[in-house]
Amino acid sequence: MDVTINEMDEIIEREKRIAALEFHSEAWADGAMEGIEPSILADAAIATALEETIREQGEDAALTLVESLRDRILCGEFTPNRTVQ
């Protein structure tokens, strides 16, 4: 199977996203087991993501991230149990 460099980069990025989601899910579950409310966990996760994005890439990148999240929410990407027609 011949894989281009771009395809390999996409595979690596996809695997990193899966690993990141697994780590985040574990941390979320740990917090929930400690009695931390989902809204507080979500606020902390978003705040951390924005702080790290600003630290690494600057405020414009953080604003772009927030805008893309808004669009993704409106498209239903994060809606649990959604059905795509």
Side-chain angles (χ1 to χ4, degrees):
M1 176 172 112
D2 292 329
V3 178
T4 67
I5 292 175
N6 286 341
E7 290 171 334
M8 184 57 71
D9 288 343
E10 289 175 8
I11 291 168
I12 291 168
E13 183 176 332
R14 189 175 327 120
E15 289 180 1
K16 285 180 178 180
R17 287 181 185 275
I18 290 168
L21 285 170
E22 289 173 359
F23 286 128
H24 186 266
S25 293
E26 288 177 22
W28 188 283
D30 289 345
M33 286 181 60
E34 293 295 324
I36 301 172
E37 293 84 353
S39 61
I40 295 172
L41 291 168
D43 186 79
I46 292 167
T48 301
L50 292 173
E51 289 169 5
E52 291 301 319
T53 300
I54 290 169
R55 184 184 341 276
E56 293 290 322
Q57 300 173 12
E59 290 180 350
D60 288 340
L63 289 170
T64 299
L65 174 62
V66 169
E67 290 165 1
S68 72
L69 288 173
R70 182 184 191 284
D71 292 340
R72 292 165 66 188
I73 289 168
L74 292 173
C75 288
E77 182 175 335
F78 305 111
T79 303
N81 304 318
R82 73 181 173 133
T83 56
V84 180
Q85 297 180 4

